[in-house]
């Protein structure tokens, strides 16, 4: 592989005009496609195999024309202090608002609070529910404006009016902090390279790669039913790895220049050595992201595949466009050890070489491996303690900032009708195979009334055929509580008894039940996913490092970092530690997708640093150094650039903490803290300590396996052998 990538790097350097033209053309094509593509609708959320999804599908069959996928809005009214919603003036205002809302072309129906008995017991709060033909993302701006205008008219009449539901759903924004993250990355690159030109190359290539990836996702969003979060996460991961991959190749290019090679030769060798590490690091990320499909949640599968595609583009750009741009940059990219005018001059030739910080740190770890190992493991273990209290759920209007009308509507409904009113359960009774459907409906309602935490059970509403009915159940607890989850399981247990007696199926659905089923499905899929992804990556790393213990150590270190990161997420988003600093206005359960998503993404990113850092150690060991010295050599060449890469990735991920979407905010924080733990504690401390303790055993591989494995030559030994580069090898080891 090193030889092929070496030739590709030299070809890209020579034919830089052609390479640059291809990537600019692809960016233009993707941009035009995104601009001309139809607007994406609201991504459908289906969970195959769950009871909630089965009930939802049954509703579409037995209650045709109900627009189950349509948007809804709850317009919540509160009377002025000392007044009631039943007062004539307030009642007239509400009825006028209902009339205005009914005039919309996309409106299916609007419930009158007074006819639907949607007025609180104390008479101070009422709500009207608006149902639409299309989803929230497909609603015309005119329909949303009419909804807000109607609410404003009622406010001007003296009422407090807020709007909940998904009718006002908007594309989430990330805020200015994302730009700050990119700015931090730029500063780190300038400090690392000492040159604006060299620093600009990774940023430019990463932005082009992300531009192509996100534009492609936008262009295909409508056809493939991709949600807005898909492109946001692809941007987050693609930008981080795109900068890092280009950073490693540019750094290796400067190191090759420092050894006296011509620029074209240096570009080829950088692509052949660091480029090989980029390929395998990218493969681990792609495996982890595509592996999300085993969970069998379509939305998560699409997110993973889209992000994996963006990572693949980042790898291709790093291998081709980076060498091409290095050709354009010429002498403006200095050899390693030389500084540009920006940060001062290089040291004089007669000055003795001073060990860099990476060398000094690695030497310390090699001398004190046990102490460093224990300190790192105990520290990560302490950070992981909060993860033992992990509670999972999916965000609803109650998790939105208090500045939003959706959140204020949620709070008003809780105040007037109880916390469980925001998470009603829909029970679907399929009595098609029973002898007396009406009796089954009544029996089901009575059974539910006898359960704990039930506030209201509405009478059964049968369909036209009379063989299926819906029953609405209002819990006494908020939607994300454990008590509500127990109620859902209690209804299902009661339904099992009814089925045994009457052959009728009792199914529980609704957003609350769907969230509970999602959490359970994700929990059940976590272990198989871990086995698949870690297993495949383990085999890949055996090929890269030609070792059994090094990949095993990499996987165990990853588990430490991901558990510590989950602990930090629980502490901030569930317990509320530093919540003000992170902009978390409402604590609650951790998003159900967070553990499995972090496992996938963090594993891929963790292997990036493992590959980049340990391949340098492997390269030194293969070239004859003792194991302990190889660790030091690896840090001398790789610690600075790995540190810069980790800081950049943390800055990019932290930029998404400013997102208005709670899911994106949580993922941004989780990935940023996970990179910190993995890069600076696991890869920079635990890994060298373990390798120092193992010595030559770290690189042991059974002979039969050594003969069976393909030789991918990540270290670039084939390049040295082909050119007889012994002199250069001694120079590297000096």
């Amino acid at each position: 592989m090193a030889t092929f990538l070496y030739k590709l790097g030299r070809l890209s350097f020579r034919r830089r005009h052609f390479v640059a033209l291809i990537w600019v053309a692809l960016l233009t094509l993707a941009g035009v496609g995104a601009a001309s593509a139809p607007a994406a609708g609201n991504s459908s959320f289906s969970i195959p195999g769950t009871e909630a999804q089965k009930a939802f599908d049954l509703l579409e069959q037995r209650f045709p024309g109900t627009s189950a996928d349509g948007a809804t809005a709850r317009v919540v009214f509160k009377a002025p202090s000392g007044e009631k919603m039943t007062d004539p003036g307030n009642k007239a205002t509400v009825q006028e608002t209902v009339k205005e809302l009914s005039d919309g072309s996309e409106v299916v129906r609007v419930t009158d609070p007074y006819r639907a008995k949607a007025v609180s017991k104390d008479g101070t709060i009422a709500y009207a529910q608006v149902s639409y033909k299309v989803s929230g993302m497909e609603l015309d701006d005119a329909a949303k404006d009419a909804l807000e205008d109607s609410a404003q008219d009622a406010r001007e009449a003296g009422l407090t009016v807020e709007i909940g539901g998904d009718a006002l759903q908007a594309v989430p924004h990330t805020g200015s902090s994302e730009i700050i993250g990119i700015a931090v990355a730029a500063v780190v690159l300038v400090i690392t390279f000492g040159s604006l030109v060299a620093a600009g190359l990774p940023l430019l290539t990463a932005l082009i790669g992300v531009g192509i990836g996100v534009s492609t996702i936008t262009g295909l969003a409508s056809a493939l039913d991709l949600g807005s979060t898909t492109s946001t996460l692809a941007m987050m991961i693609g930008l981080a790895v795109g900068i890092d991959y280009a950073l490693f190749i540019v750094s290796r290019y400067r190191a090759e220049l420092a050894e006296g090679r011509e620029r074209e030769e240096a570009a080829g060798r950088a692509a052949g050595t660091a480029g090989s590490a980029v390929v395998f690091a990218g493969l681990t990320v792609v495996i982890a992201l595509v592996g999300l499909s085993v969970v069998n949640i379509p939305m998560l599968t699409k997110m993973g595949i889209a992000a994996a595609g963006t990572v693949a583009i980042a790898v291709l750009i790093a291998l081709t466009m980076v060498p091409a741009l290095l050709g354009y940059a010429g002498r403006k990219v200095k050899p390693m050890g030389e500084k540009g005018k920006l940060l001062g001059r290089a040291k004089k030739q007669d000055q003795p070489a001073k060990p860099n910080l990476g060398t000094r740190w690695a030497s310390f770890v090699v001398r004190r491996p046990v102490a460093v190992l224990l300190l790192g493991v105990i520290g990560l273990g302490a950070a992981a303690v909060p993860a033992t209290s992990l509670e999972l759920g999916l965000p609803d209007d109650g998790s939105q900032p208090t500045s939003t009308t959706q959140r204020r509507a949620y709070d008003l409904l809780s105040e007037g009708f109880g916390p469980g009113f925001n998470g009603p359960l829909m029970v679907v009774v399929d009595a098609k195979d029973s002898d007396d459907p009406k009796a089954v409906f009544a029996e089901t309602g009575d059974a539910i009334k006898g359960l704990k935490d039930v506030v209201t059970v509405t009478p059964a509403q049968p369909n036209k055929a009379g063989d299926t009915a819906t029953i609405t159940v209002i819990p006494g607890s908020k939607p994300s509580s454990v008590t509500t989850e127990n109620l859902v399981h209690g209804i299902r247990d009661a339904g099992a008894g009814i089925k045994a007696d009457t052959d009728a199926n009792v199914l529980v659905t609704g957003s609350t039940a769907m969230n509970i089923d999602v959490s359970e499905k994700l929990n059940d899929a976590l272990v198989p996913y871990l086995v698949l992804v870690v297993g495949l990556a383990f085999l890949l790393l055996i090929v890269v490092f030609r070792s059994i213990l090094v990949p095993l150590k990499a996987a165990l270190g990853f588990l430490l970092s991901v558990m510590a990161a989950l602990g930090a997420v629980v502490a901030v988003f569930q317990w509320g530690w530093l919540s003000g600093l992170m902009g978390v206005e409402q604590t609650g359960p951790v998003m159900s997708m967070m553990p499995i998503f972090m496992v996938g993404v963090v594993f891929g990113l963790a292997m990036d640093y493992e590959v980049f850092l340990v391949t340098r150690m492997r390269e030194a060991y293969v070239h004859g150094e003792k194991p302990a010295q190889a660790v030091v050599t690896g840090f001398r060449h790789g610690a600075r650039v790995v540190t810069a890469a980790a800081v950049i990735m943390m800055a990019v991920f932290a930029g998404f903490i400013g997102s208005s979407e709670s899911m994106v905010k949580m993922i941004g924080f989780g990935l940023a803290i996970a990179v910190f733990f993995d890069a600076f504690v696991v890869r920079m401390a635990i890994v060298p300590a373990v390798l120092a303790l193992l010595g030559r055993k770290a690189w042991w591989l059974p002979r039969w396996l050594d003969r069976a494995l393909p030789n991918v030559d990540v270290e670039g030994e084939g390049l040295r052998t082909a050119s007889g580069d012994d002199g250069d090898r001694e120079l590297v080891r000096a």
Side-chain angles (χ1 to χ4, degrees):
M1 174 178 287
T3 303
F4 170 75
L5 295 179
Y6 164 78
K7 294 178 180 178
L8 179 63
R10 294 195 63 170
L11 178 65
S12 299
F13 188 95
R14 287 197 309 271
R15 307 294 185 188
R16 47 187 173 273
H17 301 307
F18 180 68
V19 172
L21 182 62
I22 288 178
W23 284 113
V24 171
L26 288 175
L27 178 61
T28 304
L29 184 63
V32 171
S36 59
N42 189 28
S43 179
S44 60
F45 187 77
S46 62
I47 313 295
T50 61
E51 180 173 316
Q53 185 64 45
K54 292 176 182 177
F56 188 83
D57 295 339
L58 184 65
L59 281 174
E60 290 189 330
Q61 296 174 9
R62 304 288 175 86
F63 292 83
T66 55
S67 299
D69 284 331
T72 59
R74 277 181 171 176
V75 184
V76 188
F77 306 89
K78 184 176 182 179
S81 179
E83 298 182 18
K84 303 283 187 180
M85 288 305 304
T86 52
D87 293 347
N90 294 334
K91 186 174 182 179
T93 300
V94 171
Q95 289 178 330
E96 180 63 28
T97 303
V98 170
K99 182 179 178 182
E100 290 180 14
L101 292 171
S102 302
D103 293 337
S105 60
E106 294 181 323
V107 174
V108 177
R109 63 180 176 276
V110 182
T111 60
D112 186 319
Y114 304 100
R115 294 181 181 179
K117 298 181 180 180
V119 180
S120 62
K121 290 182 179 179
D122 62 4
T124 60
I125 297 175
Y127 72 91
Q129 182 150 317
V130 187
S131 300
Y132 293 90
K133 298 176 183 177
V134 296
S135 65
M137 295 297 287
E138 295 172 317
L139 270 181
D140 289 339
D141 290 338
K144 295 181 180 181
D145 292 341
L147 179 60
E148 293 177 326
D149 290 343
S150 299
Q152 185 58 36
D153 292 341
R155 291 189 187 104
E156 293 174 357
L159 298 178
T160 298
V161 186
E162 304 295 345
I163 305 171
D166 60 354
L168 295 182
Q169 182 177 0
V171 176
H173 61 84
T174 55
S176 60
S177 55
E178 179 189 351
I179 300 175
I180 295 174
I182 296 176
V184 171
V187 171
V188 173
L189 287 169
V190 170
I191 294 174
T192 302
F193 292 135
S195 164
L196 287 175
V197 174
L201 291 181
L203 278 176
L204 177 61
T205 54
L207 289 173
I208 291 174
V210 168
I212 294 173
V214 173
S215 296
T216 303
I217 292 170
T218 303
L220 298 175
S222 178
L224 300 181
D225 191 26
L226 303 177
S228 59
T229 307
T230 303
S231 59
T232 303
L233 295 178
M235 181 193 305
M236 182 191 304
I237 296 170
L239 191 60
V241 300
I243 294 175
D244 277 9
Y245 294 164
L247 168 64
F248 281 105
I249 291 181
V250 174
S251 297
R252 187 59 184 252
Y253 171 76
R254 296 177 69 231
E256 297 293 337
L257 288 178
E259 294 185 4
R261 295 190 174 88
E262 294 295 329
R263 294 187 176 274
E264 181 179 329
E265 177 70 11
R269 285 177 174 266
T273 52
S276 297
V278 164
V279 169
F280 283 100
L283 277 175
T284 59
V285 180
V286 169
I287 287 172
L289 291 171
V290 173
L292 290 170
S293 58
V294 304
V295 184
N296 196 26
I297 295 179
M299 185 182 76
L300 194 59
T301 300
K302 293 171 185 176
M303 287 166 54
I305 293 175
T310 307
V311 171
I313 293 172
V315 171
L316 292 174
I317 283 186
L319 296 175
T320 56
M321 193 168 187
V322 170
L325 292 181
L326 289 172
Y328 283 117
R331 297 185 181 278
K332 292 179 181 178
V333 177
K334 306 291 183 182
M336 187 167 290
E338 289 189 27
K339 298 291 185 182
K341 295 180 181 180
L342 190 66
L343 294 180
R345 297 178 180 178
K347 63 180 183 295
K348 296 180 180 179
Q349 293 295 326
D350 56 352
Q351 288 180 338
K354 181 181 178 181
N356 60 23
L357 182 60
T359 302
R360 298 196 299 272
W361 169 250
S363 299
F364 169 77
V365 174
V366 168
R367 291 195 305 269
R368 300 284 188 273
V370 176
V372 172
L373 178 61
L374 289 177
L375 187 61
V377 171
I378 292 173
L380 290 178
V385 168
T388 59
S389 301
L390 177 67
E391 295 179 8
L392 298 177
L394 286 178
D396 54 20
D397 285 347
S399 62
Q400 295 204 32
T402 53
S403 58
T404 63
T405 186
Q406 291 94 332
R407 171 61 188 278
R408 292 196 293 265
Y410 180 98
D411 292 340
L412 284 177
L413 290 172
S414 296
E415 176 188 338
F417 301 93
F421 193 80
N422 284 292
L425 305 175
M426 180 174 288
V427 179
V428 182
V429 185
D430 178 10
K432 189 173 184 179
D433 296 330
S434 65
D435 298 329
D436 190 353
K438 290 184 178 180
V440 173
F441 301 155
E443 181 182 347
T444 303
D446 292 340
I448 296 173
K449 289 177 183 177
L451 299 175
K452 294 181 179 179
D453 199 49
V454 173
V455 174
T456 304
V457 179
T458 65
Q461 301 292 323
N463 62 350
K464 292 182 179 180
D467 58 5
T468 306
T470 59
I471 299 173
T472 301
V473 180
I474 306 298
S477 303
K478 63 180 182 179
S480 58
S481 68
V482 176
T483 307
T484 301
E485 182 178 348
N486 292 336
L487 175 59
V488 170
H489 290 302
I491 295 174
R492 288 172 175 170
D493 291 340
I498 293 172
K499 178 174 177 60
D501 296 336
T502 64
D503 289 330
N505 288 318
V506 178
L507 307 173
V508 185
T509 190
S511 60
T512 301
M514 185 72 80
N515 291 350
I516 292 170
D517 286 352
V518 169
S519 299
E520 293 179 352
K521 189 177 182 70
L522 289 167
N523 284 337
D524 293 342
L526 185 57
V527 173
Y529 175 71
L530 263 175
V531 172
L532 174 68
V533 172
V534 176
L536 288 176
F538 182 78
L539 295 176
L540 184 65
L541 292 178
I542 289 177
V543 174
V544 174
F545 297 127
R546 307 194 77 78
S547 163
I548 298 292
L549 296 179
V550 171
L552 180 61
K553 172 264 307 168
L556 294 176
F558 149 73
L559 291 176
L560 277 174
S561 58
V562 78
M563 288 303 297
L566 275 176
V569 169
V570 170
V572 173
F573 290 88
Q574 187 175 311
W575 291 1
W577 294 4
L578 301 177
S579 57
L581 182 63
M582 298 298 166
V584 180
E585 296 189 19
Q586 180 68 32
T587 60
V590 172
M591 183 186 64
S592 299
M593 295 183 184
M594 195 65 186
I596 200 163
F597 188 83
M598 281 190 65
V599 165
V601 177
V602 174
F603 182 80
L605 299 180
M607 294 307 104
D608 277 3
Y609 301 117
E610 181 76 15
V611 169
F612 288 129
L613 196 58
V614 179
T615 48
R616 271 294 199 172
M617 301 177 191
R618 168 75 182 172
E619 183 176 345
Y621 178 76
V622 166
H623 296 155
E625 292 189 4
K626 294 181 179 180
Q629 182 58 36
V631 171
V632 177
T633 300
F635 267 77
R636 182 171 74 244
H637 291 295
R640 179 183 177 89
V641 71
V642 167
T643 299
V647 172
I648 289 169
M649 194 171 282
M650 287 167 56
V652 172
F653 288 148
F656 288 85
I657 296 175
S659 173
S660 62
E661 175 118 355
S662 58
M663 181 171 72
V664 175
K665 180 191 291 288
M666 189 180 295
I667 289 176
F669 171 80
L671 294 182
I673 197 70
V675 169
F676 172 78
F677 287 143
D678 196 85
F680 293 107
V681 181
V682 175
R683 309 303 155 189
M684 291 288 189
I686 294 178
V687 165
V690 171
L691 290 178
L693 288 171
L694 290 175
R696 295 187 182 275
K697 295 178 182 177
W699 308 106
W700 171 79
L701 187 70
R703 290 184 179 179
W704 64 268
L705 185 57
D706 187 38
R707 290 192 298 269
L709 291 177
N711 183 15
V712 295
D713 189 21
V714 176
E715 304 85 14
E717 182 65 18
L719 300 180
R720 295 176 180 271
T721 303
S723 59
D725 233 356
D726 294 333
D728 289 335
R729 187 183 314 157
E730 291 298 318
L731 181 61
V732 173
R733 291 171 52 187

